[in-house]
Structure formats: C-alpha cells, structure tokens
C-alpha cells in the first residue's frame, strides 16, 4: 500500500527467518520526512498488534543511513516483539530507530545483536553489542547458495545465546532443525 488510505490494522503477523541485504530504499525513491533519508529498513505503521519479528538478519552496507520506523496511521503499533535478530551495520553506515516510545505500547526488544553504528538504540537488556562473526557478509546475490556468507563462524558470540521461542517454525533459515 502506498499510504493512500487508512490502515484497518492487523494482528499476530509473524516475520521470521529473513535475510535483508541492502534494503532501505522504497520503490518510489521517495524522500522521507526525517533528515531527508530515503526509505527505511522496516516500517511498522498503524494499529498493528501482537506482531512477532524474530530470527532475521538485517545487513546494511557502507554508505547507508537508514531508519527503522514505527508510526501512527489510524493508531499506533502495540505489543510488538522484536527478538533474536541480527542488525549488522558495516563501517560507514548507520541504522536509526525512529519512533515516539511513549506511543508504542509494550514493544519488546529482546536478545538482538547490534553490530555497527546506531542512533537511538532501543532498550534491550539481553541484547548483544558484539561482532556476530559472520562468514563473509554482503556477498549475497542470486540464489540461496550465495548467502553462505551470512552463516555464523565457529566461536560466534551468538551461538547458544538466542531465546527459545514457542511456535518457531521448526527449522532455521538454513533448514537446520530447531530444538
């Protein structure tokens, strides 16, 4: 939707096991209102309730200055859970978190990994601010095999640190069985 009508909202959306590389420019190339940035890594708008965003990896290359944005569109998002994600920001890029924290109710950031430069980092008491030791990030191309650079290297500080989530889908991004 290009924002031409009020959102009726949604409930219980699950976003999991995605790999986002170089995202952040919308299809119109439209300038957004905050600091003349283009696009956003993701945008949760309107009366979204109970969404789960987990076990994803978001990669930003050098030169990007991209926000994650929560906004009002006929109601504010609430009870959003953002857990077990990796936010990997290359040197020379920046990821910002834009929202009115008072208006998004009960949003939980938990056990995410934040590597690189961030602005307005959300409160995440179980968050990890270390290099996740990815094999060779930023090299994804066409085809699943090109994504091997996003696998964790042995000795990664993330191994064994994620939350065990109910109804996790049974397998991870790579097809490995989850316990």
């Amino acid at each position: 939707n290009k924002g031409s009508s009020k959102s009726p909202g949604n409930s219980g959306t699950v976003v999991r096991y995605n790999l986002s590389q170089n995202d952040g420019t919308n299809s119109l190339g439209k300038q957004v209102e905050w600091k003349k940035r283009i696009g956003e890594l993701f945008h949760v708008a309107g009366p979204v309730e109970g969404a789960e965003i987990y076990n994803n990896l978001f990669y930003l290359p050098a030169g990007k200055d991209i926000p994650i944005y929560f906004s009002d569109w006929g109601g504010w998002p609430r009870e959003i859970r953002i857990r077990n994600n990796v936010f990997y920001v290359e040197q020379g890029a920046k990821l910002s978190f834009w929202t009115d924290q008072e208006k998004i109710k009960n949003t939980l950031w938990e056990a995410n990994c934040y590597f690189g430069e961030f602005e307005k980092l959300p409160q995440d008491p179980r968050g990890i601010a270390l290099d996740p030791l990815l094999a060779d990030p930023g090299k994804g191309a066409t085809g699943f095999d090109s994504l091997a650079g996003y696998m964790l290297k042995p000795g990664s500080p993330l191994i064994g640190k994620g939350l065990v989530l109910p109804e996790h889908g049974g397998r991870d991004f790579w097809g490995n069985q989850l316990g």
Side-chain angles (χ1 to χ4, degrees):
N1 176 323
K2 294 180 183 168
S4 59
S5 62
K6 184 178 170 183
S7 171
N10 60 55
S11 178
T13 300
V14 176
V15 179
R16 65 179 176 208
Y17 306 121
N18 294 284
L19 196 154
S20 168
Q21 175 182 287
N22 303 336
D23 289 331
T25 302
N26 66 28
S27 63
L28 302 175
K30 184 178 177 185
Q31 291 283 339
V32 292
E33 63 187 76
W34 50 91
K35 297 188 180 181
K36 303 238 183 262
R37 292 184 170 102
I38 295 178
E40 54 269 325
L41 187 59
F42 62 83
H43 185 176
V44 181
V48 176
E49 184 174 341
E52 297 275 349
I53 302 170
Y54 63 87
N55 294 357
N56 300 288
L57 190 147
F58 301 95
Y59 171 85
L60 267 65
K64 292 271 189 170
D65 184 2
I66 302 294
I68 291 175
Y69 192 54
F70 294 81
S71 67
D72 178 17
W73 189 25
W76 284 88
R78 48 187 249 176
E79 298 180 23
I80 311 299
R81 289 170 185 37
I82 303 154
R83 305 182 286 183
N84 285 357
N85 297 289
V86 175
F87 297 94
Y88 190 102
V89 180
E90 286 282 2
Q91 186 173 6
K94 181 170 60 177
L95 181 61
S96 307
F97 297 86
W98 288 88
T99 190
D100 183 337
Q101 292 291 333
E102 297 298 315
K103 293 187 178 173
I104 57 172
K105 302 292 184 198
N106 301 321
T107 295
L108 173 69
W109 296 78
E110 188 176 27
N112 296 292
C113 174
Y114 307 94
F115 179 68
E117 184 180 346
F118 297 88
E119 182 180 311
K120 298 182 180 180
L121 199 61
Q123 291 185 354
D124 185 342
R126 295 194 54 193
I128 296 172
L130 296 170
D131 184 344
L133 298 179
L134 301 176
D136 194 15
K139 305 290 191 308
T142 302
F144 188 78
D145 291 340
S146 73
L147 303 177
Y150 290 102
M151 294 183 90
L152 298 176
K153 291 181 187 176
S156 168
L158 303 186
I159 296 172
K161 300 295 184 200
L163 299 171
V164 177
L165 302 174
E167 300 180 26
H168 52 60
R171 298 197 178 273
D172 68 10
F173 181 84
W174 308 107
N176 300 312
Q177 180 116 13
L178 297 172

